[in-house]
Amino acid sequence: MKILSLTGKINLLTGLHIGGGDDTMKIGGIDNQVIKDPLTKLPYIPGSSLKGKMRSLLEWDNQLAGLNNGLNNGSPFSSEKLSLAPNKDNAQTLLKLFGDANNKKEPEYVITRISVGDSFLSQNFKNDYKDGKITVSEAKYENAIDRIKGTANPRQSERVPAGLSFDFDIRVKVLEGDDENALKAMVERGLELVEKDYLGGSGSRGYGRVEFSDKKWN
């Protein structure tokens, strides 16, 4: 076995919102906050958010998602439906990469190959924030329109502003019999799809447009 590492930067092209799950609203405060590191109080991108987005988009990209193809019912693609996959090789690579929690019999699908770490603010932006040169969050008002009354219900959301960068680190285990190039290619395709779509919430409003740069396999 060997473990590969893909590192690089996540550059925010538009504001990013990944919720922190804090339901406590202070008077006059923001009621939809972004997730922050409890130690530094700086925003970060959870590895689970990036990994989940990659898997979801890769399933759609490989025609393994949807309610009308018999492959799933909104759940992650599993090895039970492997025989129905349009491209079995790609489907097997996806299952090896992300694992199949429901398959306890076939070792090749039990072990998840990919590990996506949390992405923290790049050091140069940490320094700028410490020096008071930049802010790392912004408040944005969103309006929900009452379709009957025609009135607006404003809600203040917090997001990480465009222009900041975060360091990402993705690890991939390559086991005996694995196609290393296929695993690497699927990871890179997943990042490409996230670039074309969005990361985090409120993507339909233009949030979460990102670019992955300085990518390097080690």
Side-chain angles (χ1 to χ4, degrees):
M1 180 189 78
K2 68 177 178 178
I3 300 178
L4 306 174
S5 175
L6 177 63
T7 58
K9 294 187 179 297
I10 304 175
N11 305 311
L12 304 189
L13 305 181
T14 63
L16 174 73
H17 178 85
I18 296 179
D22 184 1
D23 294 327
T24 302
M25 179 183 172
K26 300 178 179 63
I27 295 175
I30 296 174
D31 61 343
N32 192 18
Q33 298 182 356
V34 298
I35 192 167
K36 296 183 180 72
D37 186 315
L39 296 178
T40 66
K41 307 303 181 184
L42 294 173
Y44 72 98
I45 300 174
S48 57
S49 296
L50 179 55
K51 178 184 174 185
K53 187 68 175 184
M54 289 172 64
R55 178 169 189 163
S56 175
L57 292 174
L58 283 166
E59 289 187 4
W60 281 102
D61 191 47
N62 288 282
Q63 299 177 275
L64 301 175
L67 299 177
N68 300 319
N69 57 9
L71 291 173
N72 63 24
N73 189 30
S75 301
F77 176 72
S78 71
S79 54
E80 294 177 352
K81 303 293 186 178
L82 188 57
S83 62
L84 300 176
N87 187 318
K88 189 174 180 179
D89 288 341
N90 284 354
Q92 287 178 317
T93 299
L94 185 142
L95 287 172
K96 289 180 179 180
L97 192 61
F98 293 97
D100 183 359
N102 298 318
N103 190 331
K104 306 301 182 185
K105 298 180 180 179
E106 298 174 274
E108 62 180 331
Y109 302 135
V110 173
I111 300 174
T112 301
R113 310 301 200 273
I114 193 171
S115 171
V116 183
D118 294 338
S119 299
F120 296 99
L121 194 65
S122 298
Q123 189 61 50
N124 60 312
F125 289 109
K126 288 182 181 178
N127 295 339
D128 287 346
Y129 174 72
K130 184 178 179 180
D131 294 339
K133 296 179 180 178
I134 63 169
T135 60
V136 294
S137 67
E138 62 185 7
K140 189 173 188 299
Y141 278 98
E142 301 284 352
N143 287 318
I145 306 299
D146 186 311
R147 267 49 174 183
I148 296 176
K149 298 179 180 179
T151 57
N153 179 26
R155 185 185 186 192
Q156 201 175 29
S157 291
E158 184 180 32
R159 66 180 190 175
V160 184
L164 299 185
S165 296
F166 294 78
D167 299 323
F168 75 86
D169 185 351
I170 298 174
R171 309 287 175 86
V172 179
K173 298 184 185 73
V174 182
L175 306 182
E176 184 177 356
D178 287 347
D179 185 335
E180 177 180 327
N181 290 330
L183 291 171
K184 290 169 66 175
M186 185 154 288
V187 171
E188 292 178 8
R189 176 60 176 164
L191 296 181
E192 179 185 351
L193 291 169
V194 174
E195 285 185 329
K196 292 181 176 180
D197 199 49
Y198 62 88
L199 184 62
S202 300
S204 63
R205 300 188 187 115
Y207 288 30
R209 303 283 173 85
V210 299
E211 174 192 56
F212 297 93
S213 67
D214 301 334
K215 297 188 295 291
K216 182 179 179 181
W217 284 101
N218 301 294

